[in-house]
Amino acid sequence: MTGHPLPTGARRPVALTMGEPAGIGPDIAGLAFDTLGISVPFFLIGDPAHLPDDRPFTLITKPSDALDADSLPVLAHDFGTPRTPGVAQPDHAAHVIAVIEKAVSLTQSGEALAVCTNPIHKKALKDGAGFAFPGHTEFLSHLAGGADVVMMLACEGLRVVPATIHIALSEVPAALTPALLKQVIQTTYAALINDFGLTSPRIAVAGLNPHAGEGGAMGREEIEMISPLLDDLRAGGMNLIGPSSADTMFHAAARAGYDAAICMYHDQALIPIKTIDFSGGVNVTLGLPFVRTSPDHGTAFDIAGTDKGDPSSLIAALRMAHQMGRARQERHA
């Protein structure tokens, strides 16, 4: 941990990482500031030489300087070589990693409110620095001492959590153990209280099979594993709905009845949220000792360095990081 924590209740900015410099991170950071200004204070950690040539910025020496900046606040980290939009450079890898570590350190020290991460390029990190993690989430878990983490995708009208993520559909039933599902539900429940300010969260849980198994006619996972687990958690005081048929969970009236949905696999969760708000979804890592959000898109090499980058998801991610950070701050004041 570095720096000196601000007094409890003090205003803090969000730490935004540059991400992969060859991607759209440097482009959309400034566009996000144009929209948010200091209403949602944040600062970018990265090399100011990687910003678009016409992007005004303010060099800062500490996070609190961002609170009254009149242009994009940048906490400088020298990457050593120029950016080539659209072409990942492995020689930048160690710097990309160091920027993530810096954002986490400033947040854990209390100087920053939360972490928001621009997209990274995993192959460039592996080739250039031997990066041993599948992605941001696993690396952040490592920096947090091995915390059990959960991925949430969120937009204005929906929060979804996939219990299993980037595995083949054929592998889902074996991976979906009672221990995993219990951890996902408990982590989500705690985050809805601590980070979203809900006093009594309502969580809807999807079944694995069509029609939630239809009484065993289409699969027995609901009968043998999911329902008994939900009953145990309900006995402990959780407000849980399900297991429900996933095809009836995501219309407007159904969404009004819960605060988050737990899904059994990747597409079961991501198809509804990307249908509802393709550009404004936010990736949130639950279970960390600090708040972390990210835009729900990749590096977009094909449009990096142009004026075609859409900052909508980053703007939503910064707003959510600020809201969650404030909720956590107030809860622990």
Side-chain angles (χ1 to χ4, degrees), residues 20-38:
E20 168 55 53
I24 62 169
D27 307 330
I28 60 176
L31 296 174
F33 185 84
D34 291 343
T35 296
L36 297 173
I38 59 172

Side-chain angles (χ1 to χ4, degrees), residues 121-133:
H121 190 266
K122 285 85 164 180
K123 186 176 187 303
L125 296 186
K126 184 177 179 180
D127 291 348
F131 192 65
F133 302 90

Side-chain angles (χ1 to χ4, degrees), residues 223-234:
I223 293 173
E224 295 176 358
M225 188 270 282
I226 301 175
S227 289
L229 174 62
L230 299 189
D231 288 341
D232 287 346
L233 294 173
R234 288 188 189 103

Side-chain angles (χ1 to χ4, degrees), residues 182-200:
K182 182 178 181 179
Q183 181 255 319
V184 169
I185 294 172
Q186 289 179 327
T187 300
T188 302
Y189 188 84
L192 290 171
I193 295 172
N194 293 326
D195 298 334
F196 292 92
L198 303 178
T199 55
S200 182

